Amino acid sequence: MLRRLIILHLIIILTLAVKASSNLYKFEGSIKLKKETIYDTSFVTIQVRGNLVRLDEFDCKKNLISMYIINLESEKVLALSPRHKLFYELSPSRAIQKPNDDATTINTENRMILDGQNCCQMRVKSIARDTEVAYWVAEKDFDFFMVMNKILRKVKPDIDIFSYFPDVKGLFPMLVVERTLLRKEKMKVLVTAISETTLNDSVFKIPLGYQKIEQ
């Protein structure tokens, strides 16, 4: 009898652990963004399922120029070149790390409605980098976002979409406006669509015909 109770107890613990693990990254679907700089316009699509994230970058004509497949648990990041049909693994030890700076975060009382979402403003200011970034954030249960950002900072710091965003859970930037300290706009990133949908496993696999190269 005691043995059965112990076994039952272990089954309950394992079931709860599996359930908690499966709910670690709750959002499944895609997020589309439009990125504007003084030089060009480009587009980004982020697709999420469980602990996997795929980040696609498109040019102004919406031609796919690069892909990244990110495993949030292992922190493994694969970079793919659609043009050359090549892929390689990004390594933190090979990446150029951004140095610590004087960036400070300022919470404001400013509010805005974006795509039906009630957003508040957060500002991140760095005098050393002559930069101030305004983030209009909404309360979103996107647990993947902070983890993804931390991984990308380690292996691909030049992906600058959310590079200054503070590590805050439960918030997602619907609009990002980066300016110099003299208020000259450098970059704007706007979320154009958020779609919760079931994604196929093939989305996060390397397409057929791609060859691996060593970095």
Side-chain angles (χ1 to χ4, degrees):
M1 182 68 178
L2 179 61
R3 183 180 178 183
R4 289 182 180 179
L5 288 173
I6 293 173
I7 293 174
L8 180 60
H9 184 64
L10 288 173
I11 291 173
I12 293 173
I13 292 174
L14 289 172
T15 301
L16 291 173
V18 170
K19 184 178 180 180
S21 177
S22 65
N23 290 332
L24 181 57
Y25 305 106
K26 298 175 183 178
F27 174 76
E28 180 173 352
S30 65
I31 303 170
K32 294 185 177 181
L33 309 104
K34 180 180 181 181
K35 177 182 174 182
E36 298 176 333
T37 70
I38 58 175
Y39 304 108
D40 200 4
T41 297
S42 57
F43 302 88
V44 175
T45 298
I46 302 171
Q47 299 179 87
V48 185
R49 179 177 181 180
N51 66 324
L52 296 174
V53 176
R54 173 173 156 175
L55 191 152
D56 295 348
E57 295 181 316
F58 302 83
D59 64 17
C60 60
K61 296 181 180 179
K62 296 191 176 181
N63 297 312
L64 182 61
I65 56 175
S66 63
M67 299 162 49
Y68 300 92
I69 298 174
I70 308 160
N71 187 309
L72 300 178
E73 292 186 0
S74 67
E75 298 192 2
K76 180 178 179 180
V77 181
L78 297 178
L80 293 82
S81 170
R83 179 180 178 183
H84 299 99
K85 304 297 182 185
L86 299 172
F87 76 94
Y88 55 94
E89 183 174 349
L90 295 176
S91 171
S93 62
R94 295 172 183 264
I96 300 174
Q97 300 294 320
K98 287 190 174 182
N100 293 327
D101 57 22
D102 61 340
T104 56
T105 301
I106 306 164
N107 293 314
T108 75
E109 298 296 323
N110 298 330
R111 297 287 187 271
M112 181 191 296
I113 301 295
L114 290 169
D115 195 26
Q117 302 288 329
N118 187 15
C119 301
C120 60
Q121 188 192 58
M122 299 171 59
R123 300 204 323 265
V124 177
K125 184 176 181 179
S126 171
I127 295 176
R129 300 190 187 191
D130 186 28
T131 294
E132 182 172 310
V133 188
Y135 294 99
W136 293 91
V137 300
E139 292 186 359
K140 288 287 185 183
D141 193 13
F142 291 165
D143 290 348
F144 78 91
F145 179 67
M146 188 173 74
V147 183
M148 178 193 75
N149 243 6
K150 286 183 177 180
I151 294 172
L152 288 178
R153 286 187 195 129
K154 294 178 183 178
V155 301
K156 194 68 176 173
D158 56 334
I159 298 181
D160 59 354
I161 306 174
F162 305 115
S163 58
Y164 288 94
F165 193 74
D167 294 332
V168 180
K169 283 187 176 182
L171 296 178
F172 182 77
M174 299 292 292
L175 172 65
V176 180
V177 182
E178 181 177 352
R179 292 185 171 94
T180 66
L181 297 180
L182 294 177
R183 308 299 294 166
K184 182 179 179 180
E185 186 172 304
K186 298 164 64 176
M187 181 182 72
K188 179 187 290 184
V189 179
L190 172 68
V191 173
T192 59
I194 298 176
S195 175
E196 292 194 44
T197 184
T198 301
L199 299 176
N200 195 285
D201 289 341
S202 61
V203 171
F204 306 97
K205 293 181 179 179
I206 299 169
L208 293 175
Y210 278 63
Q211 294 185 334
K212 184 177 183 180
I213 58 174
E214 300 297 334
Q215 293 294 295

